Amino acid sequence: MQHEKVLVLDFGGQYNQLIARRVRDLNVYCDLKPCDMTAEEIKRYDPIGIIFTGGPNSVYDPDSPRVPKEIFDLGIPVLGICYGAQLIAYTLGGKVEHAAMSEYGRREVSLVKDAPLFAGVPASSICWMSHTDHVTEVPEGFEVLASTSTCRVTVYGSQERKIYGIQFHPEVVHSEYGNRMLENFLYRVCGAKGDWTMKNFVQEQVAYLKEKIGEKRVLCAMSGGVDSAVAATLVYRAVGSRLTCVFVDHGLLRKYEAEEVMDVFREKLGMNLIKADAGAHFLEKLKGVSDPETKRKIIGAEFIKVFEAEAKKIGAVDFLVQGTIYPDVIESGKGKSAVIKSHHNVGGLPSVVDFQEIVEPLRDLFKDEVRRVGKELGLPDSVVWRQPFPGPGLAIRIMGEVTPEKLETLRDADHIFREEIAKAGLQNQIWQYFAVITNSKTVGVQGDFRTYENVIALRAVTSVDAMTADWARIPYEVLEKVSTRITNEVKHANRIVYDITSKPPATIEWE
Ligand code: XMP
């Protein structure tokens, strides 16, 4: 597929994926690549523009990443951000110095000169800084374009050479006009047309998959998660009934979840979806097991076995669909902008399926793009906005042994929590929210009777990538409603606690 492309060179800063996502949100395709690409490789990649990201280094450290000077002679526009801006100045003969004090947070930036980057940007606005080094002298032929009270060279550039440096972080939301500057770079400096839209993506992918798969047969493991659902739906659009999906119901899903998968994909969309009802089998295997790692291992191994049995019934296929997405594919430049890998729940599947080739229709997409494709394909919000849910399911939210009784209590409690979060309109502000059934029982009093029942914990966190998380400040009124409802409506629960631990030191899940 031929799109105009921007190359984002990754120098290891924490916002690198965010830069790439912003560019794509502006309808321009980009790839995030390690910063050691040669000028020759860049030329072959043929971008309309290059962005150097920030990074943790100082240009004067001997082992800091550098760029070959020839990059600047390719005639391709370049935008450097933070470390990227310092690197351009350093490479082209400007001066970078260590500031006496690091500068973090909000600053007022004032424009000094008119420039294409500043179309629609007011004379002064708020930007967000995070740096210690800064450019003190711009290279010959370059001029200072914007300053703050503490950083004279906040934005600099050469209109003639189409090379710019921005010391602050235009990609973060706190930089009021940062996105506008990125947009200006793409459309006014690089001459982008903006051909990257999810509508185009769907059309092109469907045409591509039709061509590639033709009359052959495809198999997909459907988990109910966003990635596998969108991948399967794209393939289904392309080849219809030549796609068979297998959904292993391990009996550890949330309330109504398995029914919903069947309803959306088999009943509404008409997919050829086979459900393997393995709940009883998994419970049997988990009997008497309370160690978290052992539970995970058993579930992972049994999942593959059940899938294998279904795949055998289907026989040999030509293609196996996987829901791999772009963050799984990116090789980070410095290995520091690590994002959690999606746990490879279906990682063992290729070895048990008789197939020729893997198809990964979402390989180029960020998670938010996958969601937009899902919407474009007409999938309901409950699928498109599904929270991350661990492969081992509720088994790692039940402390100790998994029993049918505990599963029922947890499902009901969790369902109430989710309902109340949705009623309060908080679902898009919280990364994950769920109930946990602890291994403790406590004494309570319900309707004049002494009870001795389970303690249910509520867990809700905010996060951007699940690597770190903070506990969500849910209003007391909502917590109160959840607590009252669970203790009134759910069997075997008489005490509700709220988990107020961030990650680290805790993890998001309890096991
Ligand atoms: P933790 O508990 O490690 O979780 O903070 C980080 C994120 O990963 C999810 N998670 C899993 N996802 N298979 C998955 O697909 C798993 O085995 C698994 N364990 C944890 C968790 O829900 C959170 O989003």
Side-chain angles (χ1 to χ4, degrees):
M1 270 152 265
Q2 273 317 312
H3 287 285
E4 56 187 11
K5 295 176 292 189
V6 160
L7 179 61
V8 182
L9 285 185
D10 181 357
F11 288 91
Q14 55 180 323
Y15 302 116
N16 298 352
Q17 287 203 16
L18 191 55
I19 296 174
R21 279 168 47 201
R22 292 274 181 262
V23 171
R24 292 199 188 182
D25 275 350
L26 291 163
N27 298 337
V28 178
Y29 182 79
C30 68
D31 275 309
L32 186 63
K33 297 268 194 194
C35 57
D36 56 6
M37 268 176 107
T38 63
E40 191 47 45
E41 285 167 334
I42 292 176
K43 205 168 150 193
R44 243 180 290 133
Y45 178 86
D46 193 25
I48 60 166
I50 306 171
I51 297 178
F52 295 173
T53 74
N57 301 76
S58 163
V59 289
Y60 291 108
D61 288 347
D63 45 0
S64 290
R66 300 280 150 74
V67 286
K69 217 170 167 178
E70 301 85 72
I71 287 189
F72 301 104
D73 299 327
L74 294 172
I76 304 170
V78 181
L79 173 68
I81 295 172
C82 198
Y83 178 77
Q86 295 156 17
L87 191 64
I88 295 174
Y90 173 82
T91 313
L92 295 179
K95 202 162 166 196
V96 177
E97 283 180 72
H98 212 58
M101 265 208 303
S102 298
E103 195 176 23
Y104 295 114
R106 296 156 60 88
R107 287 287 181 280
E108 191 173 321
V109 57
S110 305
L111 308 187
V112 176
K113 280 235 159 68
D114 204 18
L117 277 190
F118 298 150
V121 177
S124 94
S125 62
I126 297 299
C127 70
W128 200 84
M129 294 276 200
S130 172
H131 67 114
T132 307
D133 286 5
H134 59 176
V135 177
T136 50
E137 267 173 45
V138 298
E140 210 183 304
F142 284 70
E143 40 186 14
V144 177
L145 302 174
S147 308
T148 68
S149 59
T150 44
C151 178
R152 191 177 65 88
V153 190
T154 298
V155 183
Y156 72 94
S158 156
Q159 296 203 32
E160 193 195 320
R161 299 186 67 182
K162 299 188 174 181
I163 299 173
Y164 294 90
I166 302 183
Q167 180 54 63
F168 63 86
H169 287 274
E171 69 277 18
V172 304
V173 288
H174 317 287
S175 293
E176 284 178 318
Y177 286 87
N179 209 44
R180 177 61 71 87
M181 291 186 203
L182 286 176
E183 184 179 354
N184 288 338
F185 176 70
L186 299 172
Y187 287 88
R188 291 171 190 263
V189 180
C190 304
K193 292 188 287 295
D195 61 6
W196 177 249
T197 64
M198 293 306 107
K199 197 179 175 124
N200 287 349
F201 174 84
V202 169
Q203 277 170 1
E204 287 165 8
Q205 261 307 313
V206 167
Y208 168 80
L209 291 166
K210 247 185 199 151
E211 167 88 28
K212 183 177 173 88
I213 297 168
E215 297 300 311
K216 295 180 173 161
R217 296 180 69 206
V218 197
L219 178 65
C220 177
M222 177 89 102
S223 67
V226 190
D227 303 343
S228 70
V230 174
T233 312
L234 260 179
V235 176
Y236 177 67
R237 270 272 177 103
V239 302
S241 62
R242 283 191 294 285
L243 167 71
T244 306
C245 291
V246 173
F247 167 45
V248 174
D249 180 3
H250 53 20
L252 304 165
L253 293 171
R254 289 168 292 191
K255 196 163 176 160
Y256 304 135
E257 212 163 25
E259 292 85 346
E260 187 177 23
V261 169
M262 296 313 286
D263 180 59
V264 170
F265 297 98
R266 186 150 78 187
E267 305 312 324
K268 299 219 167 74
L269 285 177
M271 267 188 209
N272 184 6
L273 173 61
I274 297 166
K275 178 166 173 242
D277 264 317
H281 174 76
F282 276 83
L283 268 182
E284 186 58 36
K285 291 285 170 188
L286 289 169
K287 218 176 205 160
V289 181
S290 45
D291 173 61
E293 269 316 292
T294 316
K295 281 195 222 169
R296 279 174 178 272
K297 287 208 176 99
I298 292 173
I299 296 166
E302 289 309 312
F303 185 93
I304 291 177
K305 275 193 213 156
V306 174
F307 187 84
E308 181 177 21
E310 292 302 326
K312 281 228 167 81
K313 288 186 211 156
I314 295 163
V317 293
D318 302 283
F319 298 95
L320 179 69
V321 181
Q322 301 236 292
T324 318
I325 69 171
Y326 196 57
D328 302 329
V329 177
I330 297 174
E331 278 176 75
S332 164
K334 303 286 295 165
K336 280 193 177 140
S337 57
V339 162
I340 196 158
K341 296 272 169 195
S342 53
H343 298 241
H344 291 278
N345 291 320
V346 292
L349 295 186
S351 62
V352 299
V353 179
D354 187 359
F355 74 105
Q356 300 286 324
E357 202 181 322
I358 288 183
V359 268
E360 296 172 314
L362 311 179
R363 256 187 95 79
D364 288 336
L365 304 188
F366 283 111
K367 193 81 176 190
D368 36 355
E369 293 175 314
V370 172
R371 294 209 161 97
R372 273 158 47 208
V373 168
K375 277 239 79 63
E376 191 66 45
L377 291 167
L379 292 175
D381 279 359
S382 54
V383 173
V384 170
W385 288 105
R386 187 180 189 257
Q387 305 180 44
F389 186 68
L394 300 181
I396 58 168
R397 295 178 182 172
I398 292 175
M399 307 302 97
E401 188 184 357
V402 180
T403 64
E405 190 184 68
K406 283 192 196 166
L407 259 174
E408 191 186 338
T409 300
L410 178 59
R411 273 202 184 105
D412 289 344
D414 185 72
H415 189 246
I416 289 174
F417 190 25
R418 290 194 287 142
E419 251 180 14
E420 291 303 325
I421 291 285
K423 269 195 221 156
L426 296 172
Q427 69 273 41
N428 294 338
Q429 293 161 40
I430 306 178
W431 170 269
Q432 268 175 292
Y433 47 97
F434 52 87
V436 168
I437 182 161
T438 68
N439 218 358
S440 298
K441 287 193 167 192
T442 60
V443 172
V445 51
Q446 285 170 304
D448 293 338
F449 291 101
R450 176 188 182 278
T451 58
Y452 186 57
E453 294 290 9
N454 296 295
V455 179
I456 300 283
L458 303 175
R459 178 70 162 150
V461 295
T462 52
S463 177
V464 283
D465 55 11
M467 289 282 286
T468 58
D470 196 6
W471 58 278
R473 270 53 169 182
I474 295 178
Y476 282 168
E477 299 71 43
V478 178
L479 290 173
E480 180 188 5
K481 189 93 186 282
V482 176
S483 164
T484 311
R485 277 195 62 194
I486 295 177
T487 45
N488 277 287
E489 297 172 33
V490 178
K491 275 189 257 161
H492 308 300
N494 69 358
R495 191 178 298 269
I496 315 297
V497 296
Y498 188 51
D499 181 347
I500 52 166
T501 338
S502 59
K503 170 185 179 175
T507 52
I508 295 176
E509 302 290 345
W510 273 39
E511 282 194 342

